[in-house]
Amino acid sequence: IEVGAAGKALIASDIGAIREMKGDFKLLIEPFNYDAWKSAILKIVKDKKLRDKLGRNGKKMVKDYSVEKRGKEINRLFHTI
């Protein structure tokens, strides 16, 4: 979430909760696939349009995890129950 809030592209291992996060703000790489990591890093460094797109999408993604939005969802759930 911190990377998205900073408007930066994210390259991460395709494990855990990161794969469940919505939005096109990340490049997920198999752990220990060093060639894929190298390619992803070079891709982000060389492709400014992609880097900027992932950064913008990261900022949008953060809004889905805001306290306000989550609070409204919890409030709705309580009222439903």
Side-chain angles (χ1 to χ4, degrees), residues 30-50:
E30 278 185 51
F32 307 110
N33 184 340
Y34 302 114
D35 288 333
W37 276 93
K38 177 183 173 184
S39 295
I41 293 167
L42 290 174
K43 186 175 188 175
I44 292 294
V45 168
K46 293 178 180 179
D47 190 340
K48 181 176 177 7
K49 285 185 179 182
L50 175 62

Side-chain angles (χ1 to χ4, degrees), residues 1-9 54-56 58-59 61-62:
I1 292 177
E2 291 85 358
V3 172
K8 303 295 181 187
L54 295 176
R56 281 190 310 274
K59 284 192 172 225
M61 174 275 304
V62 169

Side-chain angles (χ1 to χ4, degrees), residues 47-79:
D47 190 340
K48 181 176 177 7
K49 285 185 179 182
L50 175 62
R51 190 171 60 240
D52 291 346
K53 176 186 152 194
L54 295 176
R56 281 190 310 274
N57 290 343
K59 284 192 172 225
K60 291 176 189 173
M61 174 275 304
V62 169
K63 291 178 184 176
D64 284 340
Y65 292 91
S66 71
V67 171
E68 293 82 12
K69 185 170 184 174
R70 294 295 171 204
K72 287 179 183 177
E73 290 174 3
I74 291 170
N75 193 26
R76 236 180 273 129
L77 177 63
F78 282 135
H79 286 288

